[in-house]
Amino acid sequence: MACTNCSTSNGDAPKGCKSNGTCGTDSCNKLTVFDWLANMKSPDGNTTFECVEVRFKNGRKEFFRNPEKLTLSIGDVVATEAQSGHDVGVVTLTGELVKIQMKKKKVKEDAPEVLKIYRKASQKDIDTWQEARNREESIKVRAREIALALKLEMKISDIEFQGDGSKASFYYTSDERVDFRQLIKEFAKEFNIRIDMKQIGSRQEASRLGGVGSCGRELCCSTWLTDFRSVNTSAARYQQLSLNPQKLAGQCGKLKCCLNYELDSYQDALKNFPSTDTKFITEKGEAFCHKIDIFKGLMWFSYKGDFSSWHTLKTEDVHKMIQMVKEKKSISSLEEFSLDNSNEPEKSFTNAVAEDSLTRFDKPKTKKKQKSRQRNNKAKNNDNSTSGNTADGNKKEATQSKGKNNRNNKPRNKNKSATPKQN
């Protein structure tokens, strides 16, 4: 995700971000938190909460104590305690909200797993951290090649280096149990670091790698969702969705987490609906329910043996029919309660703006335009012919007048003597 005042680059740090890879609002990172108590001062005499929340690569967050009473704010890069050596992370939350988060995740303040913060990261710590991060992609490619050479059924999805560069955690997914003892030896020999193999599920893999869902937005698991609840196909049945695994599956290959978002609303709406297994014995025959519409409150029934013709009934009418059955009253037919669909106006789509068609320029020329063009061409030809005829007539008149002038200009010899022919 990118904030409004900077654009994300190919590297880890966004363009224009002068906080070493994070913004003051922390909106360039995954699983961001808005500190709504940041502008509020604590009452006099109350000390700020000692623990802070620190984020590491791909949304991994942990809580740390601040025994040195360092003045920390969101976005500060700190060096934290690790099992061996030290790690480098970014502060994402401070103050009283950390206490609420720790209570929500059931982490006690004095628990042994809550480690401490050493100091604010120096430039040397940040340089070592960035060098280790730059090695992750090349090491991941080489690690996959080694796993394929050993013929192991596993997929190495991500690698996370510790801040001091002495340890690397390899995250992998596998459907079966993998014996990676030989693999760890090959990794340690190849990369000269301590190896920690961590198996994760397909949902955790999608949350670490991120992506774009079918809705066009970033994955919920990589932006704000932290708990992965089980999703069943019954959630799709309650919402009247087609049980197509290609449409119901997300990027992880499992059922989409968003199927649970509106499930409670659908279950509340279905409480007012009769059961879909409801059957009626009418005078015309036995009737079954085929389909329901939760939003319109309609149900479709048909007679046994005549499944092609469906009758639309409201839920109120179905409840009336059920009450009649309980009172042992006879039901004449479904047509008595069905809606008359013939009175409804036919709905048709009309394009108000004809220019919206993408093929509006591909339409052939109409005959009217062709006829008008032919008429124009004929008129032009007629004009040209008449102008040619007048020009020819003028030329003829000019030549005739010239001939007459030449005749008139010739001298006439009236006294011409006739010479006798010699025999």
Side-chain angles (χ1 to χ4, degrees), residues 205-252:
E205 180 187 9
S207 66
R208 292 186 66 87
L209 300 180
V212 179
S214 58
C215 58
R217 302 184 65 180
E218 291 189 61
L219 299 180
C220 298
C221 56
S222 64
T223 52
W224 62 271
L225 189 64
T226 55
D227 55 337
F228 301 102
R229 299 180 182 179
S230 60
V231 185
N232 300 324
T233 54
S234 60
R237 292 191 181 96
Y238 277 120
Q239 301 177 45
Q240 306 297 320
L241 300 175
S242 61
L243 300 179
N244 188 352
Q246 294 181 353
K247 293 183 178 180
L248 297 180
Q251 297 289 338
C252 58

Side-chain angles (χ1 to χ4, degrees), residues 111-390:
E113 60 267 15
V114 180
L115 304 178
K116 64 180 180 179
I117 293 177
Y118 286 142
R119 61 188 180 276
K120 285 188 177 181
S122 61
Q123 188 62 39
K124 183 179 179 181
D125 295 332
I126 295 174
D127 293 340
T128 305
W129 178 43
Q130 292 294 336
E131 288 176 4
R133 291 286 298 271
N134 294 332
R135 294 174 57 194
E136 290 175 356
E137 192 64 29
S138 59
I139 290 177
K140 183 172 67 175
V141 175
R142 179 57 184 158
R144 289 176 177 176
E145 293 176 356
I146 296 173
L148 288 174
L150 295 176
K151 297 180 180 180
L152 297 176
E153 296 294 332
M154 61 183 297
K155 176 187 175 183
I156 299 174
S157 59
D158 193 18
I159 298 175
E160 182 180 356
F161 263 92
Q162 197 169 276
D164 55 0
S166 62
K167 178 184 174 182
S169 299
F170 287 73
Y171 295 90
Y172 71 95
T173 56
S174 177
D175 297 333
E176 301 176 358
R177 189 173 180 179
V178 180
D179 184 9
F180 47 76
R181 289 176 292 182
Q182 183 63 29
L183 182 67
I184 293 176
K185 294 179 182 179
E186 295 290 336
F187 285 173
K189 182 180 178 181
E190 181 76 19
F191 308 127
N192 295 323
I193 52 176
R194 289 183 292 110
I195 305 298
D196 184 15
M197 302 295 295
K198 294 183 179 181
Q199 185 175 4
I200 58 176
S202 55
R203 293 184 187 274
Q204 287 78 11
E205 180 187 9
S207 66
R208 292 186 66 87
L209 300 180
V212 179
S214 58
C215 58
R217 302 184 65 180
E218 291 189 61
L219 299 180
C220 298
C221 56
S222 64
T223 52
W224 62 271
L225 189 64
T226 55
D227 55 337
F228 301 102
R229 299 180 182 179
S230 60
V231 185
N232 300 324
T233 54
S234 60
R237 292 191 181 96
Y238 277 120
Q239 301 177 45
Q240 306 297 320
L241 300 175
S242 61
L243 300 179
N244 188 352
Q246 294 181 353
K247 293 183 178 180
L248 297 180
Q251 297 289 338
C252 58
K254 306 290 185 179
L255 292 176
K256 294 179 181 178
C257 297
C258 55
L259 292 176
N260 285 338
Y261 295 167
E262 299 178 353
L263 180 59
D264 295 337
S265 301
Y266 277 89
Q267 288 178 345
D268 293 339
L270 287 173
K271 290 180 181 179
N272 299 326
F273 268 77
S275 176
T276 55
D277 298 332
T278 305
K279 299 179 182 179
F280 296 110
I281 298 176
T282 63
E283 296 178 359
K284 294 185 66 175
E286 191 174 2
F288 300 89
C289 178
H290 290 278
K291 177 186 173 184
I292 64 174
D293 192 333
I294 299 175
F295 299 103
K296 295 182 179 179
L298 302 177
M299 301 181 71
W300 282 265
F301 285 83
S302 69
Y303 292 107
K304 185 178 180 180
D306 188 12
F307 298 107
S308 60
S309 59
W310 290 9
H311 301 276
T312 308
L313 279 73
K314 291 184 178 180
T315 54
E316 296 84 359
D317 296 334
V318 177
H319 283 296
K320 290 180 183 178
M321 296 172 69
I322 294 173
Q323 188 64 27
M324 292 174 64
V325 172
K326 290 181 180 179
E327 296 175 358
K328 296 182 180 180
K329 295 181 180 179
S330 62
I331 301 173
S332 60
S333 63
L334 294 175
E335 288 81 353
E336 182 181 354
F337 300 93
S338 64
L339 299 176
D340 188 7
N341 297 326
S342 61
N343 295 330
E344 295 182 359
E346 295 183 358
K347 297 180 181 179
S348 60
F349 175 76
T350 56
N351 189 4
V353 184
E355 287 78 7
D356 289 345
S357 176
L358 295 176
T359 59
R360 60 184 183 273
F361 297 112
D362 300 337
K363 293 181 180 179
K365 297 178 181 179
T366 58
K367 293 182 179 179
K368 293 181 179 180
K369 292 183 178 180
Q370 291 179 357
K371 289 180 179 179
S372 62
R373 288 187 177 181
Q374 289 178 359
R375 291 174 183 173
N376 294 332
N377 293 332
K378 287 181 179 179
K380 289 181 179 179
N381 294 330
N382 294 330
D383 295 338
N384 294 330
S385 61
T386 53
S387 61
N389 293 331
T390 53

